[in-house]
């Protein structure tokens, strides 16, 4: 595959567009989805105020304890998660903070807060509808007509992913160079709606977050099915930017930072979905003696 040879990222043209109009729908080197609802914006940094982190089981699930304080959500709800493994993962985020709590690094905590508070008050059906809607503007379905090298790169790297998804879910997806995108059959949408309905509401929050990061339902499903790794999914989602950076060069450290941040957010989303489906418990609740 191509990701071993491509080293850097970001299309100059799409970068300018993103900086000037971050929520606009653009058809050019990169298609941007109209910005959708996102999880809570992380809080500002603050000094660490606790020493020990532990988890405990309550009536509603598993809770996070910071010393003798119970962790709460931005809406002051008790921070309670459905699985012990998810609680341990969140507790590890809090325990790994040093002198300063850097909330922007705590993606699992942010996703849990979003699932608990549900600030946009969306039902499970609405979450599914929002996720499937991304198929209409899926990154891997939009193709350029030039330059020839990029046309070939998209064909070689994106076509196998679409073909895998079509075979895996027995659907028709296709691709298009039209600004209107491919015509996705209703039967395809119905199939993905049915598939996503098998996930619980917590997992769906993570799936939608993953889709907004990769700007692709197809890549997200490939990642959840373990057909792709996080690194592969991220690089495929940035294929055009990777191509452009080879031709136009890197913008200092910003491009590498963006890529690693995207990897972290995507990996957190994938882990969150997996842990939301985890029903087993573990014996040791204290992270520190």
């Amino acid at each position: 595959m191509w990701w071993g040879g491509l080293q850097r990222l970001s299309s100059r043209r799409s970068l300018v567009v993103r900086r000037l109009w971050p929520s606009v729908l653009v058809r050019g080197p990169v298609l941007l989805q109209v910005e959708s609802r996102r999880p809570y914006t992380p809080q500002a940094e603050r000094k660490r105020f606790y020493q020990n982190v532990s988890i405990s089981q309550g009536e509603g699930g598993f809770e996070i304890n910071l010393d003798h304080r119970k962790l709460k959500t931005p809406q002051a709800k008790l921070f309670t998660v459905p699985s012990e493994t998810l609680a341990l993962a969140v507790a590890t985020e809090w325990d790994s903070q040093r002198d300063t709590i850097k909330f922007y690094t705590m993606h699992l905590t942010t996703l849990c807060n979003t699932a608990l508070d549900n600030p946009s008050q969306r039902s499970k059906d609405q979450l599914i509808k929002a996720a499937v809607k991304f198929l209409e503007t899926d990154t891997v379905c939009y193709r350029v007509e030039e330059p020839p090298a990029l046309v070939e790169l998209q064909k070689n790297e994106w076509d196998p992913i679409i073909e895998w998804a079509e075979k895996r879910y027995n659907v028709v997806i296709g691709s298009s160079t039209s600004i209107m995108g491919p015509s996705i059959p209703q039967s395809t949408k119905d199939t993905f709606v049915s598939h996503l309905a098998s996930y619980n509401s917590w997992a769906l929050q993570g799936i939608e977050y993953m889709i907004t990061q990769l700007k692709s339902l197809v890549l997200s499903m490939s990642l959840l099915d373990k057909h792709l790794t996080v690194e592969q999914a991220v690089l495929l989602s940035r294929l055009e930017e990777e191509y452009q950076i080879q031709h136009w060069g890197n913008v200092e450290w910003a491009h590498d930072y963006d890529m690693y941040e995207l990897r972290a957010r995507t990996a957190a989303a994938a882990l969150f979905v997996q842990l939301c489906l985890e029903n087993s418990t573990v014996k040791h609740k204290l992270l520190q003696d």
Side-chain angles (χ1 to χ4, degrees), residues 82-116:
S83 79
E84 190 172 15
T85 47
L86 178 57
L88 283 170
V90 171
T92 299
E93 282 190 332
W94 285 87
D95 192 51
S96 65
Q97 303 302 305
R98 300 308 176 192
D99 295 336
T100 301
I101 305 173
K102 299 179 179 180
F103 292 101
Y104 58 85
T105 67
M106 303 168 73
H107 303 300
L108 293 176
T109 298
T110 300
L111 283 166
C112 288
N113 281 332
T114 302
L116 286 165

Side-chain angles (χ1 to χ4, degrees), residues 107-177:
H107 303 300
L108 293 176
T109 298
T110 300
L111 283 166
C112 288
N113 281 332
T114 302
L116 286 165
D117 285 348
N118 191 12
S120 57
Q121 296 300 303
R122 289 184 295 167
S123 66
K124 179 177 178 178
D125 287 343
Q126 289 173 318
L127 287 170
I128 293 172
K129 182 179 179 180
V132 174
K133 188 171 180 59
F134 266 86
L135 192 57
E136 299 173 1
T137 55
D138 199 292
T139 292
V140 301
C141 293
Y142 277 80
R143 305 300 173 85
V144 298
E145 296 179 304
E146 57 179 350
L150 181 53
V151 172
E152 185 69 15
L153 184 61
Q154 290 180 335
K155 176 179 172 59
N156 291 341
E157 304 306 328
W158 283 349
D159 278 4
I161 299 301
I162 291 178
E163 290 168 5
W164 172 87
E166 289 179 330
K167 182 178 179 179
R168 165 68 176 82
Y169 297 102
N170 192 27
V171 296
V172 175
I173 299 175
S175 62
S176 174
T177 58

Side-chain angles (χ1 to χ4, degrees), residues 2-287:
W2 63 276
W3 45 78
L6 293 177
Q7 301 297 320
R8 297 209 173 282
L9 45 90
S10 202
S11 156
R12 294 275 176 99
R13 205 164 114 198
S14 62
L15 181 64
V16 171
V17 170
R18 282 185 176 130
R19 286 177 176 172
L20 294 178
W21 303 287
S23 63
V24 73
L25 181 66
V26 177
R27 184 71 184 101
V30 177
L31 177 77
L32 301 183
Q33 171 83 27
V34 174
E35 197 163 340
S36 63
R37 297 177 180 88
R38 295 180 176 178
Y40 278 125
T41 300
Q43 306 170 45
E45 295 183 8
R46 61 175 296 185
K47 184 176 180 181
R48 177 166 172 160
F49 58 88
Y50 55 90
Q51 291 187 348
N52 300 312
V53 183
S54 64
I55 71 171
S56 58
Q57 188 167 11
E59 293 184 2
F62 294 90
E63 304 164 0
I64 311 298
N65 307 306
L66 306 178
D67 292 334
H68 300 295
R69 301 183 182 94
K70 296 287 187 182
L71 183 62
K72 293 188 176 181
T73 71
Q75 292 185 12
K77 296 179 182 177
L78 183 63
F79 191 102
T80 306
V81 300
S83 79
E84 190 172 15
T85 47
L86 178 57
L88 283 170
V90 171
T92 299
E93 282 190 332
W94 285 87
D95 192 51
S96 65
Q97 303 302 305
R98 300 308 176 192
D99 295 336
T100 301
I101 305 173
K102 299 179 179 180
F103 292 101
Y104 58 85
T105 67
M106 303 168 73
H107 303 300
L108 293 176
T109 298
T110 300
L111 283 166
C112 288
N113 281 332
T114 302
L116 286 165
D117 285 348
N118 191 12
S120 57
Q121 296 300 303
R122 289 184 295 167
S123 66
K124 179 177 178 178
D125 287 343
Q126 289 173 318
L127 287 170
I128 293 172
K129 182 179 179 180
V132 174
K133 188 171 180 59
F134 266 86
L135 192 57
E136 299 173 1
T137 55
D138 199 292
T139 292
V140 301
C141 293
Y142 277 80
R143 305 300 173 85
V144 298
E145 296 179 304
E146 57 179 350
L150 181 53
V151 172
E152 185 69 15
L153 184 61
Q154 290 180 335
K155 176 179 172 59
N156 291 341
E157 304 306 328
W158 283 349
D159 278 4
I161 299 301
I162 291 178
E163 290 168 5
W164 172 87
E166 289 179 330
K167 182 178 179 179
R168 165 68 176 82
Y169 297 102
N170 192 27
V171 296
V172 175
I173 299 175
S175 62
S176 174
T177 58
S178 168
I179 191 171
M180 302 304 293
S183 178
I184 306 295
Q186 185 59 45
S187 59
T188 296
K189 297 177 183 179
D190 292 342
T191 296
F192 280 111
V193 166
S194 178
H195 176 72
L196 291 172
S198 66
Y199 291 90
N200 60 48
S201 295
W202 277 65
L204 287 170
Q205 292 279 4
I207 291 172
E208 188 193 16
Y209 181 66
M210 183 190 304
I211 293 171
T212 61
Q213 299 308 307
L214 297 174
K215 295 182 173 57
S216 172
L217 174 64
V218 175
L219 291 177
S220 297
M221 292 297 99
S222 300
L223 177 55
L224 289 175
D225 264 350
K226 297 182 174 59
H227 180 68
L228 295 175
T229 66
V230 169
E231 291 80 5
Q232 290 168 352
V234 166
L235 285 171
L236 283 169
S237 76
R238 303 175 70 92
L239 181 65
E240 296 176 4
E241 294 168 290
E242 293 281 359
Y243 171 84
Q244 294 287 356
I245 202 60
Q246 283 200 335
H247 288 74
W248 299 106
N250 192 27
V251 178
E252 296 299 331
W253 51 269
H255 290 137
D256 287 338
Y257 176 82
D258 287 347
M259 182 176 67
Y260 290 127
E261 271 295 293
L262 181 55
R263 282 183 184 176
R265 292 191 296 269
T266 303
L271 178 60
F272 180 80
V273 173
Q274 180 64 37
L275 297 182
C276 286
L277 303 175
E278 176 64 64
N279 293 318
S280 64
T281 58
V282 295
K283 295 181 179 179
H284 302 291
K285 291 182 171 47
L286 291 179
L287 292 180

